[in-house]
Amino acid sequence: MFSGRLWELFIDSFPKILIPGLTVTIPLTVISFTFALIIAVIMALVQFANVKVLKQIARFYIWIFRGTPLLVQLSIIYFGFFGAISIPRLYIFGFIDISRFIPGVVALALNSSAYVAEIFRAGILAVDAGQTEAARSLGLSATQAMKLVVLPQAIKNVLPALGNEVVTMVKESSICSTLGMVELMFAAKTVATSTYISLAPYVLAALMYFCITYPAGKAIEALERRMRRGDKH
């Protein structure tokens, strides 16, 4: 059981970790994943285009970001690209430092998009080729067939994997603490350093991550069930 002092520190640490979790970690994940989806869909569709150069660029992009560690990518983006253009240190809403937030979003989005692109590519390949042929026979162009027939079915196929990727991104957002971004993990480290007690802050951080990822996973499952409901009829 917790001693009185440890329990007091546990309670005192709660708002110091909760606030960064809600105000930085969640926006960081949502914005990063939104951009990742956009890039991933483009990369996936490019691989089905008839332009060989674009296919090779897409494949190279995916190989690079899947084949190198996220920490290395984050370091290159932050110290290399954004170090050269020098983003001013401005705060949004008084607590989000854009000089660290933007590089974090870029790194997470680029890394995740490589995995999500492969998820979408597999989802598209899982759609029966007869669906495309039927759409073309009805007079739809290849683009229309992809947009109106193939992609809606592919989205149903990839929802479980997308849910896993959302959960993964929430957890991987903790790596942005290496930049000094005051997100959930950074707040836990700060509390642990200032109190010399690591257990309470890190247990709280783990609970916060779980409270974010569990509802996100359940929401994806509910969406998946709703989209598949019509398949039974």
Side-chain angles (χ1 to χ4, degrees):
M1 296 179 65
F2 287 122
S3 67
R5 173 61 177 162
L6 190 58
W7 179 254
E8 182 182 338
L9 287 171
F10 190 89
I11 297 299
D12 184 60
S13 301
F14 187 78
K16 297 176 183 177
I17 297 175
L18 173 65
I19 293 173
L22 295 178
T23 59
V24 179
T25 298
I26 293 178
L28 178 64
T29 302
V30 171
I31 295 172
S32 299
F33 194 72
T34 300
F35 281 113
L37 276 178
I38 296 170
I39 299 170
V41 171
I42 295 172
M43 291 295 108
L45 293 178
V46 160
Q47 295 181 72
F48 291 93
N50 293 321
V51 183
K52 188 174 181 180
V53 174
L54 292 179
K55 288 183 179 180
Q56 293 301 322
I57 292 174
R59 293 306 302 165
F60 182 73
Y61 172 91
I62 292 169
W63 289 335
I64 287 294
F65 283 97
R66 291 181 69 192
T68 54
L70 175 57
L71 181 58
V72 174
Q73 297 166 17
L74 180 64
S75 300
I76 292 173
I77 290 169
Y78 180 70
F79 294 106
F81 180 75
F82 285 98
I85 64 176
S86 300
I87 299 178
R89 192 166 187 178
L90 300 175
Y91 288 86
I92 302 175
F93 308 120
F95 47 79
I96 297 179
D97 181 1
I98 65 168
S99 67
R100 292 176 170 84
F101 189 82
I102 293 177
V105 167
V106 171
L108 288 172
L110 293 178
N111 179 270
S112 180
S113 65
Y115 293 92
V116 177
E118 288 296 274
I119 291 172
F120 270 106
R121 186 175 72 89
I124 291 171
L125 289 174
V127 177
D128 193 287
Q131 299 282 339
T132 302
E133 294 172 4
R136 295 301 301 276
S137 68
L138 293 174
L140 297 179
S141 66
T143 301
Q144 290 173 325
M146 177 63 75
K147 179 181 177 181
L148 301 175
V149 178
V150 177
L151 273 182
Q153 297 181 67
I155 290 173
K156 291 182 182 180
N157 295 333
V158 304
L159 273 178
L162 285 181
N164 291 335
E165 189 61 27
V166 170
V167 171
T168 299
M169 180 173 281
V170 172
K171 294 183 292 184
E172 287 185 341
S173 68
S174 64
I175 205 168
C176 292
S177 64
T178 60
L179 302 181
M181 185 187 298
V182 186
E183 45 72 68
L184 186 52
M185 191 61 185
F186 186 89
K189 287 180 181 178
T190 301
V191 172
T193 301
S194 62
T195 60
Y196 301 101
I197 297 177
S198 300
L199 179 60
Y202 289 123
V203 168
L204 273 173
L207 290 174
M208 295 297 174
Y209 279 117
F210 179 78
C211 289
I212 296 171
T213 59
Y214 185 77
K218 286 298 180 181
I220 293 291
E221 289 178 9
L223 180 60
E224 181 188 357
R225 287 194 299 270
R226 183 168 183 176
M227 293 186 69
R228 292 188 180 278
R229 192 176 298 163
D231 296 345
K232 299 179 181 179
H233 300 289

